Amino acid sequence: MRVTRPSLALAGAAAVLALAGCGSGGDGKAAVPETATGSLEHLAAEVKCKPNMQTDADEIRQALCKNTDGRFVLATFATDRGQREWLNGAKDYGGYYLVGRKWVAVGEEKTVTALQGSLGGDMEEGSEHMNPGGSHNKGGGHHS
């Protein structure tokens, strides 16, 4: 199955909009573990979710997940460049992103923050001007 990068970015961004909504600010910062690596199934097992596969292509594998922390999208990438291109397109739609090497988890701020406690990674925030209902993000940047 051949999927183009623009359509993958749009699919990911649509999932962000469907899942992200308005996040509430989390004040507590727990210690962040070493960033997890592995297949989509391995990462999903780490956060105790059964992945509902949406895209299974050579360049990207993407699934919807739900666990006690909330609903989120989990995506793995064949290359670092493919991951960065996907993120650059998807972040235009707002949302919160937990980023590891060749994987991304996308969801509400509280969900992504909770996932960081298991998967490690770096928090990134999408563009605030694209969030539905106004600006819910405090700024488009990185959080560790």
Side-chain angles (χ1 to χ4, degrees):
M1 175 175 156
R2 176 139 186 160
V3 182
T4 63
R5 284 190 181 112
S7 67
L8 291 174
L10 288 175
V16 168
L17 292 175
L19 294 175
C22 297
S24 62
D27 296 325
K29 286 210 170 203
V32 177
E34 184 174 330
T35 302
T37 59
S39 68
L40 188 139
E41 291 80 5
H42 174 77
L43 295 169
E46 289 286 322
V47 295
K48 297 175 178 50
C49 88
K50 182 178 177 184
N52 177 5
M53 294 301 293
Q54 302 297 302
T55 304
D56 194 354
D58 291 339
E59 300 87 13
I60 182 175
R61 298 184 73 220
Q62 183 173 298
L64 300 177
C65 284
K66 182 179 179 182
N67 66 12
T68 57
D69 298 320
R71 296 183 313 167
F72 57 97
V73 173
L74 185 60
T76 57
F77 302 87
T79 65
D80 293 322
R81 180 179 176 184
Q83 176 187 19
R84 184 47 50 195
E85 288 174 356
W86 182 91
L87 271 168
N88 289 344
K91 286 173 68 176
D92 286 343
Y93 295 89
Y96 296 89
Y97 301 78
L98 182 61
V99 180
R101 181 145 195 278
K102 296 186 182 175
W103 62 264
V104 174
V106 185
E108 290 185 3
E109 182 179 18
K110 65 183 176 90
T111 301
V112 175
T113 300
L115 293 172
Q116 189 177 33
S118 299
L119 296 176
D122 295 314
M123 290 279 289
E124 295 188 19
E125 199 170 329
S127 174
E128 60 183 83
H129 72 277
M130 289 301 291
N131 278 324
S135 176
H136 297 294
N137 294 354
K138 295 176 197 80
H142 298 275
H143 303 277
S144 291

